[in-house]
Amino acid sequence: MTILGIDIGGSGVKGAPVDPAGGELLAERFRVPTPQPADVSSVVEAVAEVAARFDGFDSVGVTFPGVVVDGVTRSAHNVDKSWLDAPAARLFTERLGKPVTVLNDADAAGVAEVAFGAGRDQSGLIMMLTFGTGIGSALFLDGTLLPNTELGHVEIDGADAELLASDRIREIEDLTWEQWAVRVERYLRHMEMLLSPRLFIVGGGVSKKSEKFFPLLDIRTPIVPATLLNNAGIIGAAIAARQAGPLPGAIAVDAAHV
């Protein structure tokens, strides 16, 4: 079975056909700029443009930068407000003419990492964090996704955590890696206090620069960079589409059975 994975990001919408059993892209990714404003109709058309680049796929998985419940987008922190309560799975299905699964983007990246990347064969509570425009989170208990955690929005020192420690804030405030690491450590220690995870997996663009700030972090939990990088969302979306059908519920990530 070939499934098309599409990842909606802040700057680009990218996709590729995926072999969900092997976690591999079957063709080179195709990317279009994310429309501005990124309202519902514009993004649906951008996704359709990416999908039109490929053929031979049976279903589609799409990531979304916010909460997704039963195919409906329930938050819009970093996207156009028209996405609040939008029936995303139905809209994409109608436009593409194929069954479409929609899930949170950090959840999708985590699904891929737990199945084929840094979280493979790890038991207990695993926490995937993506540092980018905001802070995305995904939690896995013995390989099962606990969806839509949105732990990048916990309050730390009176502020939304992603306004303190996202990679966008690092760039906007022109923070040194040392200055930013202090903030990231504060956030990670808060997560340790709340959840006591066995492993942090860090994704997003900064995962490629982990050597610049990982050594500066003084935390108890082991921390590793994500390994699938920019393909994680695409692969995770495809895995979810295969396992969950058009309305994702509990996704059990097992590389031997995806």
Side-chain angles (χ1 to χ4, degrees):
M1 178 183 292
T2 299
I3 298 177
L4 184 64
I6 297 179
D7 188 13
I8 299 172
S11 61
V13 178
K14 55 186 182 292
V18 177
D19 171 13
E24 298 177 348
L25 304 191
L26 299 176
E28 185 177 351
R29 292 182 308 168
F30 178 67
R31 180 185 184 276
V32 299
T34 300
Q36 298 300 328
D39 57 71
V40 172
S41 59
S42 298
V43 172
V44 168
E45 288 308 310
V47 167
E49 184 179 352
V50 172
R53 185 80 171 195
F54 307 100
D55 53 25
F57 54 90
D58 304 290
S59 59
V60 184
V62 174
T63 76
F64 177 79
V67 172
V68 184
V69 178
D70 293 338
V72 177
T73 50
R74 298 296 193 190
S75 69
H77 294 291
N78 296 309
V79 293
D80 189 83
K81 300 306 180 185
S82 62
W83 281 102
L84 282 172
D85 296 322
R90 177 174 63 80
L91 294 172
F92 288 126
T93 296
E94 291 174 352
R95 181 63 180 85
L96 301 183
K98 300 279 187 179
V100 177
T101 297
V102 184
L103 75 163
N104 172 267
D105 56 352
D107 284 348
V111 165
E113 289 292 336
V114 169
F116 299 110
R120 187 170 186 172
D121 299 326
Q122 297 287 333
S123 61
L125 187 66
I126 307 301
M127 188 171 192
M128 172 85 178
L129 293 166
T130 58
F131 290 87
T133 302
I135 299 176
S137 66
L139 281 182
F140 296 83
L141 181 60
D142 292 331
T144 297
L145 172 67
L146 310 177
N148 295 311
T149 49
E150 292 289 285
L151 292 170
H153 295 292
V154 297
E155 183 178 307
I156 295 181
D157 299 332
D160 190 312
E162 68 176 25
L163 299 179
L164 174 78
S166 69
D167 190 42
R168 178 177 63 176
I169 291 299
R170 179 183 67 84
E171 295 177 346
I172 289 175
E173 298 187 15
D174 195 25
L175 300 174
T176 66
W177 288 105
E178 290 78 10
Q179 291 170 326
W180 187 63
V182 171
R183 300 185 180 197
V184 173
E185 179 181 306
R186 175 75 179 85
Y187 173 73
L188 294 176
R189 286 192 173 196
H190 193 63
M191 292 299 101
E192 287 181 318
M193 181 270 293
L194 292 174
L195 298 167
S196 300
R198 291 192 179 180
L199 178 71
F200 286 124
I201 303 172
V202 172
V206 293
S207 64
K208 293 181 286 187
K209 304 173 183 177
S210 61
E211 76 284 353
K212 294 183 179 294
F213 67 101
F214 274 22
L216 304 173
L217 301 174
D218 181 15
I219 58 174
R220 298 177 63 184
T221 306
I223 183 170
V224 296
T227 60
L228 299 175
L229 303 178
N230 288 333
N231 291 337
I234 293 172
I235 295 169
I239 294 171
R242 174 166 179 172
Q243 290 198 356
L247 298 179
I251 299 172
V253 182
D254 181 348
H257 299 97
V258 288

